[in-house]
Amino acid sequence: MARLTINGTVRDIDVDPNTPLLWVLREQAGLTGSKYGCGVAQCGACTVHIDGNPVRSCVLPVSALSAEQQITTIEGLSKDGSHPLQRAWLKLDVPQCGYCQSGMIMAAAGLLKKNPKPSDADIDAEITNICRCGTYNRVREAIKLAASGLPAKQST
Amino acid sequence: MSMATQVSRRSFLIGSASAIGGLSLGFHVPFAEAAAAKNAAEVNAWVVIQPDDQVIIRIARSEMGQGTLTGLAQLVAEELECDWAKVTTEYPTPGQNLARDRVWGNFSTGGSRGIRESHEYVRKGGATAREMLITAAANEWKVPPSECVAANSVITHQPSGRKVSFGKVATAAAKVTPPKEVTLKDPKNWKIAGKPLARLDTADKLTGKQIYGTDLKLPGMLNATVRACPYFGGKVKSFDASSVSKMPGVRKVMQIDDTTLAVVADTWWQAKTAMDALTIVWDEGPNTAVSSESIAEMLKGGLDAKDAFVQTTVGDAPGALTGAKKTISAVYAYPYQNHATMEPMNATARYTPQKCEVWVPTQNGEASLAAAAEAAGLPVQQCEVYKLHLGGGFGRRGNFQDYVRQSVLIAKQMPGTPIKMIWTREEDMLHGAYHPTTQCKLTAALDDDGNVTAMHMRISGQSILAAVRPEGMQGGKDPAVFQGLNLTGDEGHIGYTIPNLLIDHAMRNPPVPPGFWRGVNLNQNAFYLESFIEELAHAAGVDPLAFRRKLLKNHPKHLAALEAAAKGIGWDTPAPKGVGRGLAQIMGFGSYVAAAAEVSVTDGQMKIHRIVAATDAGHVVNPAQVERQVEGSFVYGLSAALFGECTMQGGRMVEDNFHTYQVMRMAEMPKVDTHIVPSGGFWGGVGEPTIAVAAPAVMNALFAATGKRIRTLPLKKQSLA
Ligand code: FES
Ligand code: FES
């Protein structure tokens, strides 16, 4: 049994404590926005936040987490897709297949939290997620657009 | 209305369109019923209109990120004259296509054909529906249809100014006899097609709402994973189910065919954990002595072999080469590569003796249906496939339906229970449909003026068609090997005019399953040809652009694409200090493409600073989408060029995840400027051709920067220090 706080809600989940957080989110909590891409912390498709820090949930057993820690998934990043990164992503039509994009956005959100105006080098260093469709340049542009402060409501 | 709300409303509607498909309900509701529930009228196979004027456009091809969903909808909407803000899309199922005499044509989504192969009939579909709507309105007004026009989902009777919206006449229009002939618009007059419109499928990808195959949830569903014998040609010798059958959640441990075991459990993680613990003994089969080295030797033997399949021949290349004063020769090699789609292979199946249903991300729904029927042992009419959004395809999810077959074989052992099977990344890496391996020996003669008087290009290596589509072979020859190297043809012809030219293929097929890998054979052919052409230019002491200009004089479209890329990189101005520039061009998938690259090397590390790409795809349906595909092509092509290699050892592949199969990431990604230079008059593909120019442009730039010629990919195996 694990007690987890996911997107602000405390949940008791009946699960083997060795189960990686990714699979608890996907299979027990029903939150499939976080994706399985590699299972070995290589691709970042499974990125979620623990207390605001991006982590690769595919290698994090739930036994390592306490109920006090805040787990945020892509579903909890904003209520309605209005996080500045989500708006920037929409404006630039960043995704192709989209499979890596939850992880990309969560990694980017973690970056902006500690570094609101990242340089290209900061982005290179922090966004190490894999996108096989090749959206990197638009991901970079969208991070910068979000960092530059989007208008509260999009007007275009 | 702001764009944000428009788009999110549209995505809500896409969401509801998939609800029509039954995903959120778990089981499929035929869309005729779903349409009836909303009082929507199917005007024709392509166009459904609701009373509230919402337009649902049916899309037969699969969306895997390439944007075909939006592009094809733009083409239909353009002719339909509907309000683009009211457009949503839905997939007809392969079973419905079969039942309706293939009214939606081919479902196969590969070869960059989504738009170029279907533009005509989907536009006709839109135009026909428009005419039917106009006729329905005219009938109601008792006026001649010729006095009415449609625009923005509204029909206007011009003399009287009377107006009616599509939604009001859709039901009547559905009963109108379709016109036999419709005239399609001149692309000059396009208002929706040809424009850089926002994609229809973005919003749900930003919030985690988009459902991929791996995300599907059906009532009562169990989860499975498989392990197939990793040795090519090997099989299961024995396994001990009792070692795991008591593990938590495990429902069944099964062998599904000679090579493959499956574990079914309550959750996927439980299935995977049990599979990892399962004791399996493999019969390693006949290929354990096969390695990358032995394959390279085998291919090397083909480079000078007497027998080869001849495709392209002009004059007498062997004769001219024998008599030539100056000849240059080089041998190139291209490795095995895995598609490595971000979403591993998966499929969900439910089998009963009466019906087999499969939910699957597939590039070819009809191939999935055929595979399901075969595995189920049921007539195809008793099977159905529901297509899900793909987390990448790149050719892996088209011809090869191994995952559909497996999922049905699993479901068959537990009738009535839907079972979702997901491969691990390791399974995905070890059971690819690999980019084939080839080598190439090029020999050319130069005269005193630096003209190429003869060239022989001998390709040695694996045929894809021999393994996966033998019906496409021509008397033993695989014509697809020569992609981009044919003398003529709309698909891809060589731009260089060389008076004595011979291109042939010594087929050497190692025991590794090959497949169509985004860009297919154009990838290695462009790497070989475009690298070697620069070798010749340097040997002749001529600037590589000037050298190509002369050779391309009879092929202005090839040249125009190259000139656009060269101009974009500033070829006529000196490169920054330490930076080398390289070029490449090719024609493939019906389009003319070129690239120019700038690279430098510091401490043995190459940095790609900038790429300028040029694409002439004839007509462009969505320029923003073309740009995205071109940018993505460099990521795919350069991942392959820099890192991509699957190594054979002891009869199996070595690389089994991204730590050993590295791919390009943000830090390696250069800036890409895309120049779209459509010359009109033809329809070329976009998703693939540019991949082929990525490697040669960069390797040519590397040569310019360092004097080092890379003839064997990937680059990671070469020292630049
Ligand atoms: S799935 Fe976690 S990093 Fe790839
Ligand atoms: S958008 Fe497809 S993997 Fe990134």
Side-chain angles (χ1 to χ4, degrees), chain B residues 275-348:
Chain B
M275 183 58 94
D276 287 345
L278 183 63
T279 313
I280 309 169
V281 182
W282 302 116
D283 170 350
E284 297 178 4
N287 297 313
T288 50
V290 178
S291 65
S292 287
E293 291 74 25
S294 74
I295 292 172
E297 272 307 303
M298 176 185 180
L299 268 51
K300 202 168 150 216
L303 293 175
D304 295 305
K306 210 162 89 348
D307 289 332
F309 296 106
V310 174
Q311 177 83 350
T312 298
T313 173
V314 184
D316 172 19
L321 286 168
T322 312
K325 235 173 36 198
K326 181 175 181 182
T327 62
I328 290 130
S329 186
V331 174
Y332 285 78
Y334 198 97
Y336 282 116
Q337 290 159 346
N338 192 297
H339 298 82
T341 58
M342 215 54 233
E343 177 191 31
M345 297 305 113
N346 66 86
T348 302

Side-chain angles (χ1 to χ4, degrees), chain B residues 439-459:
Chain B
Q439 295 181 10
C440 183
K441 181 173 182 179
L442 297 113
T443 310
L446 287 173
D447 69 12
D448 292 341
D449 302 324
N451 297 306
V452 185
T453 54
M455 185 166 91
H456 178 199
M457 183 170 184
R458 161 63 63 85
I459 300 164

Side-chain angles (χ1 to χ4, degrees), chain B residues 197-371:
Chain B
L197 301 183
R199 294 177 63 124
L200 294 171
D201 56 349
T202 294
D204 282 356
K205 294 174 181 171
L206 311 180
T207 56
K209 278 204 197 87
Q210 175 69 54
I211 297 293
Y212 297 83
T214 48
D215 302 329
L216 186 73
K217 213 172 158 123
L218 300 175
M221 184 181 85
L222 295 177
N223 292 274
T225 198
V226 293
R227 192 144 304 166
C229 181
Y231 299 89
F232 299 120
K235 49 186 197 257
V236 178
K237 189 187 251 170
S238 64
F239 66 104
D240 178 13
S242 71
S243 60
V244 303
S245 51
K246 299 265 144 44
M247 285 178 71
V250 172
R251 299 292 189 104
K252 200 160 183 163
V253 181
M254 54 174 89
Q255 179 164 359
I256 57 171
D257 59 19
D258 283 353
T259 63
T260 310
L261 302 170
V263 176
V264 179
D266 292 339
T267 69
W268 187 82
W269 183 253
Q270 290 168 333
K272 193 250 180 207
T273 306
M275 183 58 94
D276 287 345
L278 183 63
T279 313
I280 309 169
V281 182
W282 302 116
D283 170 350
E284 297 178 4
N287 297 313
T288 50
V290 178
S291 65
S292 287
E293 291 74 25
S294 74
I295 292 172
E297 272 307 303
M298 176 185 180
L299 268 51
K300 202 168 150 216
L303 293 175
D304 295 305
K306 210 162 89 348
D307 289 332
F309 296 106
V310 174
Q311 177 83 350
T312 298
T313 173
V314 184
D316 172 19
L321 286 168
T322 312
K325 235 173 36 198
K326 181 175 181 182
T327 62
I328 290 130
S329 186
V331 174
Y332 285 78
Y334 198 97
Y336 282 116
Q337 290 159 346
N338 192 297
H339 298 82
T341 58
M342 215 54 233
E343 177 191 31
M345 297 305 113
N346 66 86
T348 302
R350 189 173 62 133
Y351 169 90
T352 67
Q354 292 74 40
K355 190 159 177 70
C356 179
E357 294 167 289
V358 177
W359 292 256
V360 61
T362 174
Q363 287 177 247
N364 188 344
E366 291 179 303
S368 299
L369 182 64

Side-chain angles (χ1 to χ4, degrees), chain A residues 16 18-20 23 26-28 30-45 56 58 74-82 85-102 104-105 120 123-125 127-141 143 153-156, chain B residues 2-4 7-8 63-66 197-199 201-203 205-212 214-215 217 223 248 266-270 272 338-344 389-392 394 420 422-426 517-518 624-625 627-629 631-633 635-636 639 657-659 661-667 669-672:
Chain A
D16 181 304
N18 292 324
T19 308
W23 293 99
R26 291 179 54 82
E27 303 201 290
Q28 274 86 23
L31 298 168
T32 53
S34 310
K35 303 298 184 209
Y36 166 70
C38 71
V40 294
Q42 278 286 321
C43 74
R56 294 190 170 174
C58 65
I74 185 74
E75 291 89 345
L77 185 65
S78 68
K79 275 203 182 63
D80 47 3
S82 61
L85 282 165
Q86 288 167 317
R87 282 163 39 216
W89 242 254
L90 184 64
K91 191 165 166 133
L92 299 179
D93 242 354
V94 174
Q96 290 190 26
C97 84
Y99 194 80
C100 72
Q101 299 285 315
S102 305
M104 282 282 183
I105 292 171
D120 278 328
I123 294 173
D124 285 348
I127 308 298
T128 57
N129 300 36
I130 294 174
C131 172
R132 289 290 284 154
C133 296
T135 61
Y136 297 124
N137 285 348
R138 274 158 215 270
V139 167
R140 184 192 300 281
E141 236 184 292
I143 293 173
K153 272 220 172 107
Q154 272 181 277
S155 51
T156 51
Chain B
S2 79
M3 190 219 244
V7 173
S8 55
E63 178 60 48
M64 48 188 164
Q66 84 281 37
L197 301 183
R199 294 177 63 124
D201 56 349
T202 294
K205 294 174 181 171
L206 311 180
T207 56
K209 278 204 197 87
Q210 175 69 54
I211 297 293
Y212 297 83
T214 48
D215 302 329
K217 213 172 158 123
N223 292 274
D266 292 339
T267 69
W268 187 82
W269 183 253
Q270 290 168 333
K272 193 250 180 207
N338 192 297
H339 298 82
T341 58
M342 215 54 233
E343 177 191 31
H389 200 88
L390 286 74
F394 313 129
K420 176 165 74 177
I422 307 176
W423 286 12
T424 58
R425 172 61 58 193
E426 288 77 9
W517 192 100
R518 190 177 180 192
Q625 200 44 46
E627 276 184 32
R628 280 182 207 107
Q629 281 298 293
E631 274 174 33
S633 292
V635 177
Y636 211 67
S639 289
N657 207 322
F658 289 117
H659 60 294
Y661 192 72
Q662 282 288 344
V663 297
M664 201 179 209
R665 297 174 198 242
M666 181 76 83
M669 183 64 194
K671 188 168 166 326
V672 176

Side-chain angles (χ1 to χ4, degrees), chain B residues 372-390:
Chain B
E374 198 187 326
L378 289 173
V380 75
Q381 292 76 10
Q382 280 166 252
C383 300
E384 186 55 292
V385 165
Y386 312 111
K387 298 200 296 179
L388 298 173
H389 200 88
L390 286 74

